Amino acid sequence: MSQIFCIANQKGGVGKTTTTVNLAAGLAKIGQKVLLVDLDPQGNATMGSGVDKRAMPLSVYDVLLESSTIAEAASAPEKLREAGAGYTVLGANRELAGAEVELVGEERRERRLRQALAAVDGDYDFILIDCPPALSLLTLNGLCAAQGVIVPMQCEYFALEGLADLTNTIKQVHANLNRDLRLIGLLRMMFDPRITLQQQVSDQLKAHYGPKVFDTIIPRNVRLAEAPSYGLPGVVFDPAAKGSKAFIEFASEMVERGLRA
Ligand code: ADP
Ligand code: MG
């Protein structure tokens, strides 16, 4: 059975996409079979994996509208495979923004992704879903399909407040739509230990969430931010960068913890 995780946080710019592509590549590098699902109409995880979002014949949009299967719509970028970090990508582009409206009134509209993934369950060790920065129908499809949620966050003043909304949503989805769903962990992203406030918020996180805070910390590292413009995850673009090393460590932590946490 595949382990299916959503990378979610309703805040934009916290590092969801960076986490999704680098965790996918990091897991692939250590021998795991991975499917990345881009659920954000911005298509950043698609482009960041080297798939041209403007040239895709089929995407996650077609899968949600049940006009295509995942096997038909997904692709496996060669550049990633050549780098020893090959994973499969179910891409997204602007078309996906329309799915929200087109699915209104459809039955079981929040379960479209879950149904589609059932057909590939077992083909992958990990399925990672990059969610848009909103608690929308698209995110709900992700949460209904997953067994766990990974929450990347920056250690800033309002971070804890936003987390309360997200953990409530996870509880509600768990209670009403998907009994399997759990918060897997909080990932401290773009961390700079020299900033006292970040250290304080990190301490507060540990105090509130204990073992739900991942051991791995992803530092602020410009190489991770540069990589997408080359259509590569940081761990492929510059494996020696300290951000990339942190993601390889995070991939190992995920394999170890898996669904236990
Ligand atoms: P989200 O998907 O949550 O909107 P992104 O992953 O797109 O967030 O990240 C937002 C911006 O921050 C991007 O420009 C990305 O390249 C940059 N970024 C993400 N993680 C890091 C990091 N660890 N160090 C430096 N820049 C980062
Ligand atoms: Mg994103």
Side-chain angles (χ1 to χ4, degrees):
M1 202 180 86
S2 310
Q3 298 193 50
I4 309 177
F5 297 115
C6 267
I7 291 70
N9 188 328
Q10 71 276 25
K11 273 190 80 169
V14 295
K16 290 180 291 296
T17 299
T18 305
T19 299
T20 311
V21 299
N22 282 287
L23 180 58
L27 286 168
K29 271 197 165 189
I30 58 174
Q32 304 293 307
K33 290 179 79 177
V34 183
L35 170 68
L36 181 155
V37 178
D38 192 352
L39 262 192
D40 187 340
Q42 292 181 85
N44 293 344
T46 303
M47 297 293 280
S49 302
V51 176
D52 186 352
K53 66 180 177 184
R54 293 173 210 91
M56 283 185 301
L58 293 166
S59 69
V60 68
Y61 169 84
D62 302 281
V63 170
L64 292 177
L65 289 176
E66 295 177 342
S67 57
S68 165
T69 64
I70 291 177
E72 289 162 347
S75 62
E78 211 165 300
K79 269 205 290 186
L80 299 178
R81 208 171 43 230
E82 283 165 3
Y87 59 88
T88 304
V89 181
L90 177 58
N93 56 28
R94 287 183 55 196
E95 218 180 4
L96 182 58
E100 240 11 274
V101 178
E102 286 166 60
L103 287 174
V104 165
E106 296 286 321
E107 264 178 53
R108 300 166 67 86
R109 58 182 172 273
E110 71 284 344
R111 292 186 190 270
R112 293 297 178 97
L113 183 62
R114 185 187 179 95
Q115 277 164 15
L117 285 176
V120 297
D121 195 30
D123 293 355
Y124 301 97
D125 299 307
F126 286 88
I127 298 175
L128 304 178
I129 306 168
D130 187 25
C131 289
L135 297 173
S136 59
L137 178 59
L138 291 171
T139 299
L140 203 54
N141 261 276
L143 295 175
C144 281
Q147 296 134 3
V149 186
I150 296 169
V151 182
M153 54 179 303
Q154 282 172 266
C155 291
E156 287 172 347
Y157 186 62
F158 289 115
L160 288 166
E161 223 169 280
L163 265 186
D165 291 338
L166 184 58
T167 50
N168 274 331
T169 303
I170 293 170
K171 276 184 199 148
Q172 284 186 18
V173 172
H174 174 86
N176 300 304
L177 296 166
N178 176 8
R179 299 299 294 181
D180 298 333
L181 189 72
R182 298 187 292 115
L183 172 66
I184 297 293
L186 309 173
L187 178 65
R188 289 163 287 176
M189 206 34 194
M190 302 185 223
F191 193 75
D192 184 344
R194 292 166 303 181
I195 300 174
T196 311
L197 176 65
Q198 292 205 2
Q199 200 65 63
Q200 285 169 348
V201 173
S202 174
D203 292 344
Q204 281 176 357
L205 267 186
K206 279 274 193 195
H208 270 80
Y209 291 92
K212 292 279 185 195
V213 182
F214 288 112
D215 294 334
T216 309
I217 296 177
I218 310 295
R220 182 169 286 283
N221 179 206
V222 70
R223 301 300 272 170
L224 292 177
E226 288 168 353
S229 63
Y230 297 86
L232 292 171
V235 302
V236 173
F237 173 62
D238 185 354
K242 74 181 174 5
S244 304
K245 287 182 173 159
F247 269 114
I248 295 289
E249 198 181 307
F250 183 48
S252 305
E253 187 178 353
M254 282 304 300
V255 170
E256 255 167 55
R257 286 168 75 120
L259 286 166
R260 277 189 294 111

